[in-house]
Structure formats: structure tokens, C-alpha cells
Amino acid sequence: MNMHLRGAAGLLIATLAASPAVAAPLAKAESAQITGDIDRRSPALSALATDIWNYAEVGFHEQKSAARLQKELKQAGFQVETGVDGMPTAFIASAGKGGPVIALLAEYDALPGLAQAADADRHPIEGQRAGHACGHNLLGSASVGAAIALKKWLERTGTPGTVRLYGTPAEEGGFAKVFLVRDGYFKDVDVTLAWHPGDRNSASQSQMLSVISGKFLFEGLPSHAAAAPERGRSALDGVEIMNVAVNYLREHVPQETRIHYTITNGGDQPNIVPASAESFYYVRHYDPEVVKDIWGRVTKAAEGAALATGTKVSVRLIGGTYSTLPNYTLGRIADRHLRDLGGFTYSPEEQAYAARLKANLPPGGRAGGGPDSVEPFVEGRKGPASTDVGDVSWATPTLQISTATWVEGTSPHSWQAVSASGTSIGNKGLVLAAKTLALTGAELFRSPDEIAAARAEFEAGRGKDFHYTALIGDQPPALDYTDHK
């Protein structure tokens, strides 16, 4: 067994050095049937993704998007449970019978402030609040496509098992998956298959950052800022002094820590001493224990700022998720299928669009990649972002792949990602992801040894003394966390 240190605190990830489990490969005809099913459904999947791109609904408000995905699944014969775990836009769709249970994850929330037309130049959509800057319109649609293809394959071959799709809202800050894990909705899942849009095709498994987020509400005393400033106590002063204190804290945290914030409420107008002000903070690190420690220090900075300004502060925890626990057994299976499928090519129109968009990308993007190649499979990779898939990966062996839905060099959470997610380039990446997930799922249904190997790696990675405790505690979902936008 090769042991790799995980994060500064020395949490361990174990990768098994034993020989891979013996696969029960799909016959070429079976694989062709699965990919053919997805090809035939690709116009419907593209229309699904385009509809959700147009809806562009923010976290916990994705009523149209969730309903649209559910409609597609119901028409394919899935049983759909809605409003799961107190979240109106969360749902679970199931098909098949018995075990194993293989889950797929669907996301469909957009990001506030990033509305953009599907154009290679910057063209915000007037009056639109949000945009799919992380490609979740594609993410949910491809997972639905894979789930439907797996259902048809189970029925066609008479293979026992259940395919289950989790419709998970508010990945961008609401952390719906964490609540589902905490409340036991993944307890009978054998393997979870996930993917994410990107600028390259890869099945390498990355360790992502753990995160805690929350809002700090300062309350003071209003007064006329010119006639009676001495009678006021500025809540905005509390926010700003907290920010200064946290910025000095950056020198004294572990190297891989990330702290970022916005001021979501800074008062009304300058001639009124602000009675209320609010900041929204994220703290990240690969080790959740480090995140908890730093979050406590950020909270102390808020308390000190309140003391210094004569205000009061309250903290509202919004979310928190573990870092992802990579599963290389699953990654190698998906990598094989992704390589067999290969990438895809751009049409002349897509090439022209990509060239124009590339000219509008900021400097500093990663070199390499692109739609027509598959990245080398690498172990031990660290990712620079966070996802609530993290908690899922500590509850069940979990795969996450990416496909080139965006032009090479595009960063997530950018207007360029919004644009490409609404084009045929995004849809081609969607189809590749759906095929890779469906083929991987079918092989796992056929191969109990591979599921057992993935489970053994998972158990070794967690460690025998691991006990899951959600970073968000026992609080309910923050269904209004985007309402300030």
C-alpha cells in the first residue's frame, strides 16, 4: 500500500498497489448500443441544456431547471421524488431493481452577476441576473443522458441493479449534497459517478479544497452622519475592521489556505451611519480540520471588530464541505472508456468562434488540452476549487471526470465559460461526458470485483477511525443565501 500525505495536517489518502480488479468488459456491440442511444438522444439533451442555460436560475431557486430535468427523466420511465430533504428544487430519480446501486449527480444552478450571450465577445444579457459560468446546464443534462442510457441497458440486458440520479441544487454556495449525505440519502449507494465541464478531457482524480462559508451581520446605531455622527455606531465600520483583521491574518495561516469575501450590504446612503452591514466569507484548505481552525480565527476577528466599533455581530453558517477523496480505481476505468471514445473536433464555425473567444481570454490560462485529445491519467493531483461532491466522496466511492465543454484556456466562473456553455461546443462536451459515464456505469454493474476494489481503496483512504461529521452541523439548508444579490 502506497500512502500519500493529504494536506498540511497529514490526513492520509491511500492508493492500493495491488493489481487492478479483473474487469468484465462490455462487448463492442453493447458499448455501441449505449453510445448509439446517447447519440440518438443528443438533440434532446442539447435542447435540455439550452433551456437550462436560458433559465439561468441561482441556487435553491432552480424551479424551472429542476422541473425540466425531472420531465426528461419521467418520460424515460424513472420514478422521481421531489422536494427532497427540505430543499424544494432537490430531487431523486430511480430506475431498476436491487443492487448494486450506482448514483449519478446532476447540478443546474447558475452564478449571479455573470449573464452573457452565447457570443465570443462580451455581451451581457440585459435584465438577466445570472449565467451558467460553471456549465451546470451541461452538467445536469449529461448526467440525465447517462442515467437514461444506463436504464435502457439494464432493461435490455436483464442486468440487476439500480441507477439513481440525484438532482442537487445550489452547488455554488448552498452545498445541497452535504445535507443529503448528512441525512443518509447516500447510505445504500455502492458507487457515485460525477463529472464537471472544463476546457479539456480528463479522468484524472483530483483532491479539491475543503471549505466553510458564512455571513457576518453587524448591527449598530443609525444617526445623521453630519449632524450627529457621535450618536451613531457604524455597522459598516465593523465589517471593514473585520476585513482588515482577516487580511492581516493571511500571513499566519498554512500555505494552501484561501480566504475571500464580499460585502453584501454596506448601508444605504453616505449621510446615514449604517445600522446594518454584512460580509460573506469563504475559508478553504485541503484539510477540513485546518478550515475549521481558521474559521474560528475569522470569527474572532469579527468579534474583535464589533468590540472596537461598539456594534454587535452575529454569524450565520451558510455551508461547508469536505475536500474530495480521489478514487483511482474508478478513475482508471473511466479513463479507459474516455480514451476509447476519444475527443471531438470543432466545425469550421466552432473554430472561428473559439479563435475569437481565445483572443478575449485573460492571460495566465493553462496550456494544452483541447477537445480532440485526452489528458494523461495522473494520480496525486490537487485542484484549486471546492465542490460539495467532496462530502459524497467520503460517503461512497466517487468518480469525477471532466470534458472540454469550453474553449481551451477558459476559466470557470467567467463570462467566457457562460458563453461556451450555451453553444454547440458545450453540447459536444456534454455528449462525450454522458457516454463516458454510461459506459463506466455499465461496466461497474457487470463487474462486482471492480466495485469491491473501489470500495477497498475508499475504505483505506478514509482510514479505519474515520467518522463523518458534516461541517455545517445540524442546521437546515440556507435556502435564501443568494437573496442579497
Side-chain angles (χ1 to χ4, degrees):
M1 180 179 294
N2 297 322
M3 307 300 288
H4 301 284
L5 283 179
R6 180 174 183 269
L11 291 180
L12 295 176
I13 289 178
T15 57
L16 301 181
S19 300
V22 177
L26 300 171
K28 287 186 177 180
E30 284 184 295
S31 296
Q33 284 181 318
I34 291 170
T35 57
D37 284 343
I38 292 172
D39 281 332
R40 285 186 289 275
R41 190 173 288 273
S42 64
L45 295 175
S46 297
L48 175 62
T50 300
D51 285 348
I52 296 172
W53 187 88
N54 284 318
Y55 298 151
E57 297 168 298
V58 297
F60 291 131
H61 295 279
E62 316 97 331
Q63 288 88 356
K64 291 180 182 179
S65 302
R68 183 72 172 81
L69 293 165
Q70 291 166 27
K71 179 181 178 182
E72 203 78 17
L73 290 159
K74 288 177 181 176
Q75 288 177 344
F78 280 75
Q79 298 296 312
V80 180
E81 178 186 0
T82 61
V84 174
D85 205 19
M87 295 177 282
T89 54
F91 66 91
I92 297 176
S94 299
K97 186 177 181 180
V101 177
I102 293 181
L104 294 110
L105 304 178
E107 299 169 12
Y108 32 90
D109 58 320
L111 278 156
L114 283 166
Q116 162 67 27
D119 190 273
D121 297 308
R122 181 67 167 122
H123 287 144
I125 300 173
E126 187 176 352
Q128 184 169 305
R129 176 186 181 191
H132 274 286
C134 223
H136 292 179
N137 63 308
L138 305 169
L139 198 165
S141 302
S143 294
V144 165
I148 293 172
L150 280 171
K151 174 183 180 293
K152 293 180 70 174
W153 178 82
L154 288 172
E155 293 170 344
R156 186 165 56 239
T157 61
T159 303
T162 298
V163 56
R164 186 184 297 161
L165 184 135
Y166 289 78
T168 60
E171 190 273 340
E172 300 289 358
F175 302 93
K177 297 180 194 68
V178 177
F179 298 97
L180 294 170
V181 171
R182 182 194 69 182
D183 297 336
Y185 286 87
F186 282 85
K187 62 185 179 183
D188 64 338
V189 172
D190 291 284
V191 169
T192 299
L193 307 179
W195 81 287
H196 201 283
D199 70 338
R200 59 198 62 214
N201 305 311
S202 176
S204 293
Q205 303 302 292
S206 297
Q207 179 194 0
M208 308 297 279
L209 291 158
S210 179
V211 62
I212 293 178
S213 69
K215 295 182 177 181
F216 294 84
L217 176 63
F218 286 81
E219 296 178 282
L221 294 173
S223 182
H224 195 294
E230 75 282 359
R231 300 179 66 181
R233 298 293 181 267
S234 172
L236 180 58
D237 287 354
V239 165
E240 292 193 308
I241 290 175
M242 174 192 173
N243 293 343
V244 170
V246 173
N247 286 331
Y248 275 103
L249 174 65
R250 295 178 191 277
E251 184 182 357
H252 308 289
V253 295
Q255 179 67 26
E256 294 172 315
T257 303
R258 296 289 183 271
I259 305 173
H260 26 274
Y261 63 86
T262 59
I263 298 175
T264 53
N265 172 23
D268 295 312
Q269 61 186 59
N271 66 343
I272 303 171
V273 174
S276 179
E278 183 186 70
S279 58
F280 191 179
Y281 266 79
Y282 276 51
V283 174
R284 307 187 203 234
H285 190 273
Y286 291 103
D287 183 350
E289 292 300 320
V290 172
V291 171
K292 286 192 286 187
D293 176 69
I294 296 171
W295 184 258
R297 296 166 72 187
V298 169
T299 301
K300 289 292 185 184
E303 293 169 355
L307 182 64
T309 55
T311 60
K312 296 179 180 178
V313 65
S314 58
V315 186
R316 182 190 181 196
L317 197 63
I318 298 297
T321 184
Y322 280 52
S323 50
T324 49
L325 180 63
N327 194 287
Y328 300 119
T329 300
L330 296 176
R332 284 188 288 268
I333 297 169
D335 181 71
R336 175 161 35 82
H337 288 296
L338 184 57
R339 291 185 188 285
D340 286 345
L341 291 165
F344 56 90
T345 57
Y346 289 163
S347 69
E349 295 79 12
E350 290 166 346
Q351 289 175 354
Y353 162 88
R356 284 173 51 212
L357 190 72
K358 261 191 173 181
N360 285 322
L361 292 175
R366 293 186 300 168
D372 57 352
S373 62
V374 177
E375 294 283 289
F377 186 80
V378 178
E379 295 188 8
R381 179 176 287 176
K382 287 190 173 184
S386 305
T387 172
D388 57 4
V389 177
D391 285 60
V392 176
S393 73
W394 289 82
T396 167
T398 300
L399 166 79
Q400 182 140 316
I401 66 166
S402 66
T403 63
T405 60
W406 305 327
V407 174
E408 177 191 347
T410 299
S411 169
H413 295 201
S414 65
W415 69 260
Q416 293 92 343
V418 181
S419 175
S421 296
T423 69
S424 56
I425 288 175
N427 291 332
K428 285 182 175 179
L430 175 165
V431 170
L432 179 59
K435 289 178 177 178
T436 305
L437 293 176
L439 291 172
T440 301
E443 180 174 325
L444 290 167
F445 275 123
R446 183 68 60 76
S447 306
D449 285 350
E450 288 184 327
I451 293 178
R455 169 64 62 170
E457 181 184 340
F458 165 76
E459 295 289 359
R462 291 200 310 176
K464 64 179 182 179
D465 297 324
F466 174 76
H467 174 73
Y468 173 77
T469 303
L471 295 180
I472 46 83
D474 59 0
Q475 72 174 49
L479 300 180
D480 62 346
Y481 83 100
T482 59
D483 288 357
H484 66 273
K485 301 280 183 163

